[in-house]
Amino acid sequence: MSEVDVRPLAESEYRQANDLFLASLHVPERSSEERWRRSVTRYEPGRVFGAYLDGELSGTAMSLSSSLEVPGGAVLPAAAVTGVGVRADRTRRGLLRELMGAQLADTRRRGEPVAMLHASETRIYPRFGYGLATRAHRVSVSRLLSGLRDDAPAGGQVRLVDGPTAEKLLPELYARISTGRPGLIGRSEGWWSTRLFGTVENGGAQRIAVHSDESGTDDGFVLFEPAKTDYQFGDGSVALHVGELHAADAVATASLWRFLLNLDLVTTVSAIDRPLDEALPWWLADRRGYAVDRLDDDLWVRLVDVPTALAARSYGAAEPVVLEVRDAVLPENAGTYRIGPDGAAPVDDRPQLTLDVDVLGSLYLGDVAVTTLVDANRVEVHDPAATAEADRLLATTRPPWCGTGF
């Protein structure tokens, strides 16, 4: 078998790596020159890896400098992993394993305690230590059946903004309002450049509305576009698709939904990546106009430096619990750790619960209870009393949510 050579790519090789990635997702066309000019701003030197087999680029993976908010409010440096793909004629030869290993080692060297990704296939990444850490709803609301109740939160104003205005306004606004919930991540300048491409370059269907509070301070925004491209005047049927909606509080969130549901000619508003606990159905006059179309897996988290990551988050009021963590890819993480209201630290004590590092990733932000994963045979129990204590220690007041694709 030929040896796989993995190395960071030069900037001149980024376009080839991007084409390989798109082909691995069965996207036939190359990005336009204009789109590539914006997309390449996401790429960071040293963070784009290529796997060579017989001297040919046969696989690639990259990461973006980002951050992750964890329970308790701490924000950790994080690697946002994306652009992972292997040529169709070079699969099943260990390229992905070598790429993931090199990338995780690089992430650890950079002092980023966690890595995260959105999985194209959910069976792939647990073997590299990633666990499903947040979920999100896809929802739809019938404007014909329901608007918001009179007593739903209200206040401030909503205005439409153009692409160049959004490009200046939204990065600062997102960074300012996206706090207080585990799972929220940082967005780079290159991420925004790619996200707003269609709007800024004109001709894109995407529209942007911003909410400001009673004092005139901007505190929320929504990106939306027609979901039905063959609309003809007089048809009377327009479905809107919401790409994202972020807001600082219930008033801003409800006001943006009210704006969408009050748009003339619209029959349905659908949205992806919505928090599991969003109050929207409770704001509607007729909640039967609201439907959860799908429950999606969202952010997958990998603890690259287990002791640092465990020490960074807060824990609930309960008796301390000793966890044994297994990590076949990064064996330096393997060991026993005591977690408790006062924090977390490595110990030599006998473990009460044993779990693999991907399971720890699923528990880390509080999306799933330890009891659930015990029932799934994903956690080994040595002390039955520890299960309920660990549930209380790791629980969060709100479910984690990411809301950012990358």
Side-chain angles (χ1 to χ4, degrees):
M1 180 179 290
S2 301
E3 184 175 347
V4 178
D5 175 35
V6 175
R7 62 170 175 82
L9 297 180
E11 292 184 36
S12 61
E13 299 171 293
Y14 291 171
R15 186 71 181 267
Q16 183 185 3
N18 184 68
D19 291 343
L20 187 155
F21 166 64
L22 292 177
S24 74
L25 297 181
H26 308 294
V27 177
E29 68 276 0
R30 286 163 57 98
S31 298
S32 68
E33 292 303 320
E34 284 185 307
R35 182 171 289 279
W36 173 246
R37 176 175 57 82
R38 282 185 170 269
S39 296
V40 74
T41 62
R42 298 197 313 158
Y43 288 59
E44 302 174 39
R47 302 192 76 120
V48 187
F49 287 87
Y52 285 80
L53 191 63
D54 298 328
E56 291 185 284
L57 182 64
S58 302
T60 186
M62 62 181 279
S63 66
L64 316 175
S65 300
S66 187
S67 60
L68 175 67
E69 185 159 341
V70 304
V75 178
L76 296 182
V81 175
T82 186
V84 181
V86 175
R87 259 176 51 173
D89 59 344
R90 300 296 174 89
T91 58
R92 314 299 187 267
R93 303 193 194 184
L95 276 75
L96 183 59
R97 181 180 65 250
E98 296 296 326
L99 281 166
M100 291 288 98
Q103 187 179 67
L104 286 171
D106 178 70
T107 300
R108 191 176 177 95
R109 283 194 298 269
R110 292 175 183 274
E112 296 165 337
V114 296
M116 54 197 182
L117 55 78
H118 296 290
S120 55
E121 292 188 53
T122 60
R123 296 176 62 178
I124 294 175
Y125 292 99
R127 68 177 185 263
F128 304 116
Y130 288 88
L132 174 59
T134 75
R135 296 168 296 155
H137 280 154
R138 295 191 186 193
V139 306
S140 57
V141 184
S142 169
R143 177 177 177 269
L144 301 181
L145 286 180
S146 189
L148 267 61
R149 293 168 51 92
D150 292 339
D151 58 358
Q157 294 184 332
V158 176
R159 71 187 189 279
L160 291 170
V161 300
D162 61 19
T165 301
E167 193 167 37
K168 295 176 182 178
L169 173 64
L170 294 195
E172 181 277 330
L173 177 54
Y174 172 82
R176 178 163 49 82
I177 66 176
S178 291
T179 58
R181 187 194 286 262
L184 292 170
I185 73 170
R187 297 176 172 183
S188 67
E189 181 179 347
W191 185 96
W192 279 109
S193 181
T194 304
R195 180 70 178 89
L196 297 175
F197 167 78
T199 304
V200 175
E201 298 295 329
N202 298 321
Q206 180 173 260
R207 304 179 74 189
I208 300 167
V210 173
H211 180 267
S212 55
D213 64 18
E214 299 289 354
S215 69
T217 301
D218 295 331
D219 59 359
F221 65 90
V222 61
L223 281 65
F224 63 99
E225 60 188 318
K228 182 179 179 181
T229 57
D230 60 347
Y231 169 73
Q232 298 292 326
F233 180 76
D235 181 271
S237 175
V238 178
L240 288 185
H241 170 73
V242 175
E244 61 175 288
L245 189 158
H246 283 268
D249 56 28
V251 171
T253 303
S255 297
L256 288 167
W257 275 110
R258 182 180 289 105
F259 166 78
L260 294 169
L261 292 172
N262 282 341
L263 290 172
D264 292 337
L265 303 181
V266 170
T267 57
T268 304
V269 180
S270 63
I272 60 172
D273 291 340
R274 302 311 304 153
L276 300 188
D277 64 340
E278 186 168 43
L280 176 58
W282 297 96
W283 294 332
L284 295 175
D286 183 352
R287 63 180 298 132
R288 290 187 177 179
Y290 170 92
V292 175
D293 300 320
R294 199 164 98 179
L295 175 63
D296 288 327
D297 61 279
D298 189 20
L299 193 69
W300 293 66
V301 167
R302 208 291 184 196
L303 303 193
V304 178
D305 182 340
V306 168
T308 298
L310 288 179
R313 64 153 290 173
S314 64
Y315 299 90
E319 290 298 316
V321 171
V322 177
L323 306 176
E324 179 185 23
V325 179
R326 298 180 296 218
D327 191 338
V329 179
L330 295 175
E332 54 266 51
N333 282 325
T336 50
Y337 302 88
R338 178 187 288 112
I339 61 173
D342 296 330
V347 293
D348 293 325
D349 299 356
R350 182 187 296 274
Q352 296 167 281
L353 304 172
T354 297
L355 65 167
D356 292 321
V357 72
D358 64 307
V359 177
L360 184 60
S362 293
L363 293 168
Y364 184 62
L365 298 179
D367 183 65
V368 62
V370 176
T371 299
T372 300
L373 297 186
V374 168
D375 291 344
N377 285 336
R378 300 302 312 279
V379 176
E380 297 177 23
V381 179
H382 312 294
D383 177 1
T387 302
E389 300 295 343
D391 277 341
R392 288 189 283 271
L393 288 169
L394 294 165
T396 56
T397 56
R398 302 183 71 186
W401 177 57
C402 175
T404 297
F406 54 87

